[in-house]
Amino acid sequence: MELRGTRLRAGLVEALREAVRGGRLAAGTRLPSSRSLAADLGTARNTVADAYAELVAEGWLTARQGSGTRVARRADPRDRPPHRPLASLPAPPTPLHNLVTGAPDLASFPRADWLRAYRRALTAAPDEAFGYGDPRGRAELRTALAEYLARARGVHARPERIVVCAGFAHGLTLLARALRERGVRAAAVEPYGLELHARILAGAGLGTPALPTDERGTDVEALGDLADCGAVLMTAAHQFPLGGALPPDRRAAVVDWARASGGVVLEDDYDGEFRYDGKSVGALQGLDPERVVYLGTASKSLAPGLRLAWTVLPEDLVDGVVARGSAHGAPSAPDQLAFAEFLGSGAYDRHVRAMRLRYRRRRDQLVAAVAAHAPETRVSGIAAGLHAVLALPPGTEQDVLRAAAWNGLAVRGVNQFRRPTVPATLDGLVVGYGTPSDSAWPGALDALLRTLP
């Protein structure tokens, strides 16, 4: 049963009290405004304001005009002694702040607009839409995607070459199996990236050699030296996690490699819709639709829980991918129809524009705060996407990650994304500034600043 009124206030008071007592809310942490937290909890603003006032009276919190409500700076016998041996330290507190990249601000999901799209889609849906359907996905969605991708990302797409998938990993799994069946023995990966994607390729029986890197990013010229390599997985528009775009000459070079070798480029258009510098970088697929597979998803632009993704395939891969999928593995037909309506009505464009502005404000706040607090820290990878890379002094990444844990902050280091065969040359934090809700963002930023050396 949902708590309301005095019961919710009492529960909130106790939860905040325990968070401070247990160290999950560190001294000095700024709490969200009563208005923001009330919106997140779905309760009245006075309920939160009364809870804050009670904790201020008890000495747990402080409240000052202009500086908001913060955790009081008070001695706590459970604070870690400065010279205590590392081996004898207790486990760090459970993370209270989340700056792990990979998710958008879930609190900003456009519920009302999505509900309207769902209702319209269901009202207009033919009876056959509730059957098993086409393993490529609903024709309505594939048609809407073809129009949108051509307009927004420069993708050369026809509905019959689009396969709708239940998330990016599902689409990559189908592709990896189709490539292995076609005789491909290895798919190269970038020197930094998600280990899950390499595991999916390996699970289909493909080798996953890592390409080298230099100051300009992934060195695609090395593809010619990889024996039996028939594919390469790339985040060309915004490399994950380092953040740069593949330079134009290397974009051309990887397409030339595919043409000359008969290989395939698997383009993960990671964060392609969120660019902030005004310089749009179109999809690599537009250079050669017969040699580049485009993979996209609504996980960052809307929410990963929708399980909506898509692949745009060369003609000679369509049958192989469709044969390894089925309508049972695709998103539900009503969800596909709702997304088609969402795209066609312009609601998706409006939502992406609004979120682009919101994420850009957070990016700017992050850059300004780091510059003021730790001016020697270089922030990179900020032209696009939902994360930034904060450079750290050589050899300090693990120490900073431990400090983050003690500050109740969940964040990942650059080397957690490094392929095992790639030499360690960088230290840094990968900060997912798109992840927190608006009310949680100030506290997460404060925790990050306390963590930086």
Side-chain angles (χ1 to χ4, degrees):
M1 180 177 67
E2 187 175 7
L3 298 178
R4 295 291 181 191
T6 57
R7 295 182 63 193
L8 178 56
R9 181 181 61 79
L12 179 59
V13 166
E14 183 58 27
L16 290 170
R17 194 184 288 132
E18 283 301 313
V20 176
R21 183 184 292 121
R24 289 183 290 118
L25 275 176
T29 298
R30 184 171 60 191
L31 299 183
S33 69
S34 58
R35 185 188 304 275
S36 295
L37 186 54
D40 281 353
L41 295 175
T43 188
R45 182 182 179 185
N46 285 344
T47 300
V48 178
D50 289 347
Y52 280 0
E54 181 174 336
L55 292 169
V56 169
E58 293 177 3
W60 295 98
L61 305 179
T62 61
R64 294 181 181 177
Q65 185 69 28
S67 63
T69 303
R70 296 178 179 269
V71 176
R73 298 190 179 278
R74 47 195 291 275
D76 189 327
R78 277 174 281 191
D79 284 347
R80 175 163 57 101
H83 302 297
R84 190 172 177 182
L86 184 62
S88 64
L89 291 177
T94 301
L96 179 68
H97 309 290
N98 185 7
L99 291 178
V100 174
T101 187
D105 176 2
L106 300 178
S108 297
F109 182 80
R111 300 178 190 228
D113 287 342
W114 183 259
L115 182 59
R116 281 192 288 272
Y118 216 101
R119 284 173 172 164
R120 287 195 294 265
L122 285 182
T123 300
D127 292 343
E128 56 86 16
F130 302 97
Y132 289 112
D134 189 328
R136 293 175 298 177
R138 291 295 306 177
E140 297 92 334
L141 177 54
R142 290 186 284 112
T143 300
L145 281 170
E147 187 279 329
Y148 172 78
L149 294 173
R151 170 172 53 84
R153 301 296 301 128
V155 173
H156 182 77
R158 296 206 296 270
E160 61 270 21
R161 293 201 190 181
I162 296 177
V163 174
V164 179
C165 311
F168 179 91
H170 177 224
L172 185 60
T173 299
L174 297 180
L175 274 166
R177 291 173 180 171
L179 289 172
R180 188 68 186 91
E181 183 67 22
R182 202 166 77 167
V184 173
R185 299 179 62 181
V189 294
E190 293 177 298
Y192 291 82
L194 285 175
E195 180 61 26
L196 171 62
H197 297 168
R199 289 204 304 268
I200 289 172
L201 296 172
L206 299 173
T208 56
L211 294 171
T213 185
D214 58 24
E215 68 279 357
R216 302 181 67 230
T218 302
D219 183 4
V220 298
E221 298 291 346
L223 282 166
D225 300 326
L226 297 177
D228 301 321
C229 183
V232 58
L233 174 64
M234 306 202 71
T235 49
H238 187 236
Q239 203 283 326
F240 181 83
L242 301 185
L246 193 67
D249 60 321
R250 293 189 174 181
R251 288 166 65 93
V254 73
V255 172
D256 288 344
W257 165 82
R259 289 170 176 168
S261 66
V264 179
V265 181
L266 310 179
E267 180 184 15
D268 175 4
D269 195 26
Y270 186 85
D271 290 344
E273 290 154 315
F274 294 113
R275 293 205 69 84
Y276 312 120
D277 57 8
K279 300 176 182 177
S280 178
V281 178
L284 186 65
Q285 190 262 8
L287 294 179
D288 194 332
E290 298 305 325
R291 298 259 59 94
V292 182
V293 176
Y294 179 90
L295 296 103
T297 173
S299 293
K300 306 301 182 296
S301 55
L302 285 171
L306 292 177
R307 311 309 302 146
L308 282 166
W310 46 89
T311 65
V312 182
L313 301 164
E315 185 176 9
D316 63 356
L317 266 176
V318 174
D319 290 343
V321 170
V322 170
R324 279 148 191 85
S326 71
H328 303 287
S332 76
D335 284 347
Q336 293 186 52
L337 292 172
F339 188 40
E341 171 66 28
F342 201 69
L343 281 167
S345 68
Y348 184 74
D349 290 280
R350 291 191 296 273
H351 174 71
V352 168
R353 285 196 299 269
M355 295 310 297
R356 189 184 294 126
L357 290 173
R358 177 173 296 181
Y359 292 141
R360 179 169 185 165
R361 283 195 297 269
R362 290 193 190 177
R363 181 205 67 170
D364 293 345
Q365 290 165 358
L366 169 66
V367 171
V370 171
H373 179 86
E376 70 285 356
T377 299
R378 183 173 63 90
V379 183
S380 62
I382 59 174
L386 306 183
H387 73 275
V389 177
L390 276 58
L392 296 173
T396 64
E397 184 175 304
Q398 289 304 311
D399 289 339
V400 174
L401 289 173
R402 282 191 287 269
W406 278 106
N407 279 300
L409 173 65
V411 68
R412 299 186 71 180
V414 166
N415 285 291
Q416 292 175 277
F417 299 98
R418 178 173 52 85
R419 309 297 184 188
T421 59
V422 174
T425 59
L426 302 173
D427 281 87
L429 296 180
V430 181
V431 178
Y433 56 79
T435 304
S437 65
D438 282 346
S439 62
W441 166 241
L445 183 56
D446 282 350
L448 175 67
L449 297 178
R450 291 196 304 270
T451 295
L452 295 178

